[in-house]
Amino acid sequence: MQSQDPNRPVPPVVDDISKQIIAQLQEDGRRPYATIGKAVGLSEAAVRQRVQRLSDSGVIQIVAVSDPLQIGLFRQAMVAITVDGPLDPVADALAEMDEIEYVVLCAGRFDVLCEVLCADDEALLDVISNRIRTLPGVRTAETLVYLKLRKQSYQWGTHRR
């Protein structure tokens, strides 16, 4: 498969068995390889090798996902930013901030989206006013405070039709 953009890496090919293994791990990241093997029709050793390859190639990460509310991060918000000039310096500075969970460069009304998790409104105000809005190149920062999380899923790539 040839990529349209020479700077964009060609994604690894993930076959149906690997997708089934990923789906098993998405349900329970600690599921034993022997159990996964029975579900997908492979030996424990074969599952272990595939998981290692998927991990080494960057297709998957096996991590613990915490509930922000349970660890004291009661204020969550999306900050939509418009930038004057290059996006990368702003995105890189945002990515360095501990309170920011992810940073996305995008097209449309905004140039950069980032998710901020803080203990309270005062901490959120500090991040927005004193750290995000003061970054060189930031023209505007519109904050969308989360009132209630309705869905959060990490099952990408295995349940699409």
Side-chain angles (χ1 to χ4, degrees):
M1 180 159 97
Q2 190 74 8
S3 176
Q4 298 290 342
D5 180 353
N7 296 323
R8 186 177 192 174
V10 177
V13 177
V14 179
D15 65 12
D16 287 336
I17 297 291
S18 291
K19 286 181 182 180
Q20 290 175 42
I21 291 169
I22 293 168
Q24 291 281 314
L25 290 168
Q26 286 172 334
E27 288 176 18
D28 179 358
R30 298 183 304 167
R31 185 166 287 159
Y33 292 150
T35 304
I36 295 171
K38 287 178 188 171
V40 303
L42 293 177
S43 70
E44 177 181 354
V47 171
R48 179 178 287 105
Q49 288 174 347
R50 280 191 182 235
V51 169
Q52 189 63 52
R53 275 196 314 256
L54 290 166
S55 180
D56 289 347
S57 66
V59 172
I60 64 170
Q61 294 178 25
I62 299 174
V63 298
V65 179
S66 60
D67 178 346
L69 299 175
Q70 297 294 322
I71 59 171
L73 299 173
F74 297 109
R75 180 52 67 216
Q76 301 170 40
M78 178 71 60
V79 180
I81 301 166
T82 55
V83 175
D84 288 325
L87 303 181
D88 285 338
V90 173
D92 291 344
L94 293 167
E96 292 296 318
M97 296 182 195
D98 290 338
E99 298 85 356
I100 295 180
E101 294 303 311
Y102 71 81
V103 177
V104 180
L105 302 181
C106 55
R109 180 174 165 197
F110 301 104
D111 299 310
V112 180
L113 298 176
C114 63
E115 184 177 40
V116 181
L117 278 75
C118 296
D120 54 30
D121 288 336
E122 188 173 327
L124 178 62
L125 179 61
D126 179 61
V127 170
I128 295 165
S129 293
N130 300 321
R131 298 183 52 214
I132 293 175
R133 290 184 183 270
T134 60
L135 288 174
V138 170
R139 182 179 351 136
T140 65
E142 183 173 331
T143 304
L144 306 149
V145 175
Y146 298 0
L147 299 176
K148 184 176 186 179
L149 180 62
R150 193 59 123 184
K151 177 182 179 180
Q152 186 167 6
S153 174
Y154 297 99
Q155 298 181 339
W156 304 311
T158 60
H159 294 93
R160 303 275 187 239
R161 290 171 185 93

